[in-house]
Amino acid sequence: DAKTTQPNSMESNEEEPVHLPCNHSTISGTDYIHWYRQLPSQGPEYVIHGLTSNVNNRMASLAIAEDRKSSTLILHRATLRDAAVYYCILRPTMNRDDKIIFGKGTRLHILP
Amino acid sequence: DSGVTQTPKHLITATGQRVTLRCSPRSGDLSVYWYQQSLDQGLQFLIQYYNGEERAKGNILERFSAQQFPDLHSELNLSSLELGDSALYFCASNANPGRQETQYFGPGTRLLVL
């Protein structure tokens, strides 16, 4: 499985944008990029995913580099509730089992 | 609330014992996944069931087993427990595996082996 690399931790101020980077230099052409996050004492939750084009949803935006070797999750206006571990994950397009391989993720701290 | 329920929320037991963790997937979801989260190993995929059949196996120990019942709920059985089995166990579900579908995670069962 292709691997992702994320910073161990990041800090941001409340109400400011946050850019969470992810490197995936060995990504294959059929791998989708997914982001999940895990709030304290909860199970992981889906944030966003994309293949080639940038994506937006109510939670965040995903910016994917043209060569697809890196991506950035953007939280437009961080709140204290966004403090969590953010996981960048690659998922093959057609995979019978669909298991998720989690890395260590980035622990995001939000400063009030 | 993801719609996935797990019981019990907490479990404390002794080494050598056997426990059963239960998961009810979201209504309509046919696929159930089990993950283990420990401090040293992070979140690891254990096993997946789809409509009652085992579909994928990850780093699941031979002492662990799972099944999915006709009503689609799933149970993870952990036997001959060791101290190192202390962890959070998450269940997730989705309807159509293999199509980039979101996995919806339950709140987890925290297992402590003493």
Side-chain angles (χ1 to χ4, degrees), chain A residues 44, chain B residues 1-6 23-29 32 91-94 103-107:
Chain B
D1 183 356
S2 66
V4 177
T5 60
Q6 291 187 247
C23 167
S24 292
R26 288 188 326 150
S27 176
D29 283 356
V32 168
C91 165
S93 74
N94 63 9
Q103 286 187 19
Y104 295 89
F105 284 76

Side-chain angles (χ1 to χ4, degrees), chain B residues 14-15 21 23 27 41 68 80 82 91 93 96 101-102 108 113:
Chain B
T15 54
L21 313 184
C23 167
S27 176
Q41 297 288 331
Q68 186 179 26
S80 303
E82 300 175 1
C91 165
S93 74
N96 296 300
E101 274 202 9
T102 296
V113 182

Side-chain angles (χ1 to χ4, degrees), chain A residues 4 15 17 22-23 29 31 41-42 83 93 101 106 108:
Chain A
T4 62
E15 298 187 6
C22 180
N23 286 320
D31 286 342
S41 304
Q42 295 190 28
T93 299
I101 307 295
T106 296
L108 177 64

Side-chain angles (χ1 to χ4, degrees), chain A residues 6-21 37-40 73 75 77-86 104-112:
Chain A
Q6 298 178 252
N8 287 336
S9 67
M10 288 182 65
E11 251 180 27
S12 181
N13 293 319
E14 197 179 6
E15 298 187 6
E16 289 188 359
V18 182
H19 291 237
L20 295 160
R37 72 179 184 180
Q38 187 173 16
L39 302 170
L73 178 71
L75 306 179
R77 201 162 157 267
T79 69
L80 294 176
R81 202 198 167 270
D82 292 318
V85 178
Y86 287 78
K104 295 193 185 303
T106 296
R107 184 172 294 278
L108 177 64
H109 302 273
I110 304 295
L111 306 173

